Amino acid sequence: MKRLDRSEIIFKVLAYVILTIFAIACLYPFIYLLSASVSSVEAMDKGIVYLWPIGFQIKAYQEVFSDSLFWLAYCNTLFYTMYGTIVSMLVAITGAYALSKTRLMFGRGFNFLLTFTMWFSAGLIPTYYNFKSLGVDNRYMYIIALGFNAFNIILLRNYFSSVSTEIEEAATIDGATEFQLLTKIYIPMSKASIATVAMFYAMSRWNGYLWAQMLLGTDDQPLQVYIRRVLETVLDKVGAGGVVLDYSPYSMQYALLVCSIIPIIVIYPKIQKYFAAGVNVGGVKE
């Protein structure tokens, strides 16, 4: 068994120590979030909650779960995340596949126009008026209007361009159509990159706030807008002195945040293997 010299031992010890500190720093906000959401109003007002709950209570969660608007907003967010990601991925995959082909007529021009949108944009106010003039005021138009992202299309296009042309040529000789090339070769060989882009889209839809608040009505607004509206209402009532709660408004805030991140925490480990696979992309050369 090979013996490690002193420098290697010191490096490994330092690496483990730094990684442990980094992991604790990343984990602590989630622990505090959960602890603060179930701590008593006295403990939160005094600011003595640092790690573990003090004066356990679940009234903040009961208040959240008893609100029908919370469940409506939650369902809206699930709807936007699921169908918005599907629509965006259909656009991204088909667009990236076409743009990755050198045989595409005016392909360089289309690629330039796509990249140009990343450099220059009309701005917030013109984009808002453009959405309003196009009738983006319901959940279906909202999904379509936000279904395009130049960066993600370019990301997939670059990966599709790295797929071996010999494989495509062999499939073409066997009579494969463009649709079969995409579904039988490119998509199966690009699972890591597709999963990464899908995660980008899903996170964007789940955390969507600005455009949802500006364009959608109350019944169509997602969870993030609901959280902001509820927090403003609760804090205004408490600040006015008209309401005495059995829980701290901050516990209410943290309870809402816990509910909003649970699906991400549950889903992420299931797709983590694709991110791990993506690390090795391009690591082996022919």
Side-chain angles (χ1 to χ4, degrees), residues 226-246:
Y226 166 84
I227 291 175
R228 175 64 180 271
R229 187 172 66 249
V230 169
L231 292 181
E232 289 178 345
T233 302
V234 172
L235 292 176
D236 288 344
K237 289 182 178 179
V238 173
V243 176
V244 178
L245 301 176
D246 295 330

Side-chain angles (χ1 to χ4, degrees), residues 57-283:
Q57 57 80 28
I58 58 173
K59 293 180 180 179
Y61 285 97
Q62 292 174 345
E63 183 69 20
V64 171
F65 294 152
S66 64
D67 188 356
S68 60
L69 292 179
F70 166 78
W71 296 109
L72 177 61
Y74 216 107
C75 291
N76 288 337
T77 300
L78 292 174
F79 178 86
Y80 297 138
T81 302
M82 180 184 302
Y83 292 102
T85 302
I86 292 174
V87 170
S88 297
M89 289 304 298
L90 287 175
V91 172
I93 291 174
T94 54
Y97 175 75
L99 293 173
S100 68
K101 302 303 175 186
T102 56
R103 61 180 181 272
L104 176 66
M105 185 178 296
F106 308 117
R108 295 185 64 180
F110 289 134
N111 277 289
F112 171 76
L113 291 176
L114 182 66
T115 308
F116 184 83
T117 62
M118 297 177 59
W119 299 337
F120 303 99
S121 64
L124 181 63
I125 296 177
T127 302
Y128 169 75
Y129 280 109
N130 185 41
F131 283 157
K132 296 297 290 186
S133 64
L134 293 174
V136 184
D137 56 1
N138 59 76
R139 62 179 63 200
Y140 303 104
M141 290 299 296
Y142 176 75
I143 288 175
I144 296 174
L146 300 182
F148 309 91
N149 185 288
F151 174 79
N152 289 335
I153 295 176
I154 291 174
L155 191 65
L156 278 180
R157 181 205 65 186
N158 293 341
Y159 190 86
F160 285 163
S161 299
S162 68
V163 175
S164 175
T165 56
E166 287 78 5
I167 299 176
E168 180 179 347
E169 291 173 357
T172 303
I173 293 173
D174 290 337
T177 63
E178 293 289 351
F179 182 76
Q180 290 173 329
L181 288 174
L182 175 61
T183 57
K184 302 296 184 181
I185 295 178
Y186 280 85
I187 291 179
M189 294 182 65
S190 309
K191 288 183 178 179
S193 59
I194 290 175
T196 302
V197 172
M199 188 64 180
F200 289 162
Y201 277 124
M203 290 296 296
S204 175
R205 297 297 178 273
W206 186 266
N207 294 322
Y209 170 76
L210 177 63
W211 290 117
Q213 184 190 38
M214 297 175 65
L215 299 172
L216 298 176
T218 302
D219 292 339
D220 292 330
Q221 288 179 343
L223 185 62
Q224 307 303 330
V225 179
Y226 166 84
I227 291 175
R228 175 64 180 271
R229 187 172 66 249
V230 169
L231 292 181
E232 289 178 345
T233 302
V234 172
L235 292 176
D236 288 344
K237 289 182 178 179
V238 173
V243 176
V244 178
L245 301 176
D246 295 330
Y247 52 86
S248 171
Y250 296 106
S251 295
M252 177 76 162
Q253 173 183 352
Y254 294 134
L256 287 169
L257 294 177
V258 168
C259 294
S260 68
I261 64 175
I262 286 177
I264 303 300
I265 295 176
V266 172
I267 294 175
Y268 183 79
K270 298 182 183 300
I271 63 174
Q272 185 179 8
K273 59 181 180 181
Y274 294 109
F275 289 97
V279 173
N280 298 321
V281 171

